[in-house]
Amino acid sequence: MARETSNESNGSLLVLPSYSKVYLDRLSSLEGRFKRLLESSGSSPSNKQVHDLRVTIRRIRSATLFIKSDPGKRSLKELDHRLKKKLKVLGNRRELDVAMDDAHAWHLDDRRLGKLRKKARAQVNRSFARHRRKKLLRVLTETLREVERNPNPRFSDTLEELRGTLLPWLDVPILRKKDIHSFRIVMKKSRYTLEMLGSSVGPLDRLQDCLGRSHDIEVLSKLTEICPSLRKLEDREIHNARKLAGPSLHFLLGEIELHARRLASFNSKRHRRGESACLPSQ
């Protein structure tokens, strides 16, 4: 993480992160990674490339949460619209890829899955045709160059919105099976958002593994008859997720609080020095 040293002698927050630099560096890295993925995968991405594209697109969408949307400029909205469409076709393809692997591993009838995956692959190929990839990269480049020219990320507002998303989950006494999917999405969004500020979110790995595996089995169960052993595995993953949910929520809220304090302290010192705060506390 890029850092900016403080001369405070009270022992608190002696080293402060330079949030703008961390953010812009990660944004640039994401842009480069996405361009390389699009170039290497072409219009027929492999299973691994589908996974990598989905993760990178999610990270880019999380990064745009920090950008102030100007009603007069449509590039940000257009970028988000295009990324959402790509995520939809990639998600369908990814679910069927995993379902096919699981069906083979558990010796299940995969004939229906095979037909569905063939259709999903064709949809991905159309969505990532050369002219569509070029158009997406153009919109992405325009949006990010605009951000670089006017670097004014809404750090505090975004952190507060994320806190507001997480807090209601603390009041849920136990994760119900029907809530697992929504909770999984919240965890992913939280992870990618905090990573943009330099947080290390390794403590979420085990929870996300459990949530992801339970989702994979749920998808498989909708497409084929699954055996009792696989159902027991799903129940076990959900049980483990329930145990990990509370500590993970507290970890995320702690990270948000840490960043909020650092931002407030950084802006306070700049204000006392009479400098314009490049990290506004909204």
Side-chain angles (χ1 to χ4, degrees), residues 60-72:
I60 292 173
R61 291 193 71 210
S62 292
T64 63
L65 294 174
F66 294 98
I67 302 173
K68 285 187 175 181
S69 181
D70 185 344

Side-chain angles (χ1 to χ4, degrees), residues 183-211:
F183 186 66
R184 186 172 66 94
I185 292 173
V186 169
M187 289 297 102
K188 284 184 178 181
K189 179 180 177 181
S190 301
R191 180 190 191 106
Y192 297 144
T193 302
L194 289 173
E195 280 180 339
M196 286 302 299
L197 300 182
S199 283
S200 176
V201 289
L204 298 180
D205 288 349
R206 176 61 182 138
L207 171 63
Q208 290 192 287
D209 286 345
C210 294
L211 293 171

Side-chain angles (χ1 to χ4, degrees), residues 19-203:
Y19 281 88
S20 287
K21 186 174 189 311
V22 170
Y23 175 77
L24 292 175
D25 285 350
R26 288 178 181 267
L27 204 57
S28 177
S29 177
L30 281 173
E31 179 187 11
R33 176 171 175 74
F34 191 50
K35 287 181 176 180
R36 291 190 297 272
L37 275 170
L38 286 180
E39 182 179 349
S40 62
S41 62
S43 61
S44 303
S46 66
N47 291 2
K48 183 181 184 305
Q49 287 169 332
V50 166
H51 170 72
D52 292 343
L53 282 166
R54 290 182 72 210
V55 171
T56 305
I57 288 175
R58 284 201 187 103
R59 292 183 192 279
I60 292 173
R61 291 193 71 210
S62 292
T64 63
L65 294 174
F66 294 98
I67 302 173
K68 285 187 175 181
S69 181
D70 185 344
K73 297 182 175 63
R74 299 178 55 189
S75 60
L76 182 58
K77 287 186 177 180
E78 184 180 354
L79 174 63
D80 191 62
H81 174 69
R82 291 183 180 277
L83 291 177
K84 283 175 71 174
K85 289 176 68 175
K86 296 291 185 269
L87 273 180
K88 184 176 181 179
V89 295
L90 289 170
N92 188 36
R93 159 80 185 273
R94 175 66 178 170
E95 286 184 346
L96 289 165
D97 285 340
V98 174
M100 282 289 288
D101 290 341
D102 287 341
H104 290 161
W106 290 87
H107 308 291
L108 303 175
D109 185 351
D110 65 357
R111 285 173 293 182
R112 184 187 176 202
L113 289 173
K115 293 177 181 178
L116 291 172
R117 186 167 70 165
K118 184 177 180 180
K119 182 178 178 181
R121 283 181 168 174
Q123 289 175 332
V124 169
N125 294 350
R126 287 194 296 272
S127 180
F128 283 84
R130 187 170 182 272
H131 69 284
R132 291 193 172 98
R133 298 199 309 274
K134 288 180 65 176
K135 189 171 290 186
L136 175 59
L137 283 176
R138 176 183 58 76
V139 176
L140 175 67
T141 300
E142 287 176 0
T143 303
L144 298 190
R145 294 300 81 78
E146 183 182 317
V147 173
E148 290 171 355
R149 288 192 297 269
N150 302 285
N152 189 23
R154 48 190 294 276
F155 293 118
S156 298
D157 280 352
T158 303
L159 287 171
E160 191 58 34
E161 289 165 6
L162 184 59
R163 190 204 316 269
T165 300
L166 292 171
L167 284 174
W169 288 100
L170 284 177
D171 297 327
V172 177
I174 185 170
L175 277 177
R176 296 171 297 180
K177 192 172 181 178
K178 67 177 184 178
D179 295 328
I180 291 292
H181 180 63
S182 297
F183 186 66
R184 186 172 66 94
I185 292 173
V186 169
M187 289 297 102
K188 284 184 178 181
K189 179 180 177 181
S190 301
R191 180 190 191 106
Y192 297 144
T193 302
L194 289 173
E195 280 180 339
M196 286 302 299
L197 300 182
S199 283
S200 176
V201 289

Side-chain angles (χ1 to χ4, degrees), residues 233-266:
L233 175 61
E234 180 186 20
D235 292 339
R236 185 168 72 240
E237 296 291 2
I238 292 175
H239 173 73
N240 290 334
R242 285 169 177 158
K243 291 194 298 183
L244 295 164
S248 297
L249 284 167
H250 286 292
F251 164 75
L252 288 169
L253 289 167
E255 286 292 300
I256 291 172
E257 181 61 27
L258 175 63
H259 287 301
R261 289 203 311 270
R262 285 174 171 171
L263 284 165
S265 177
F266 187 57

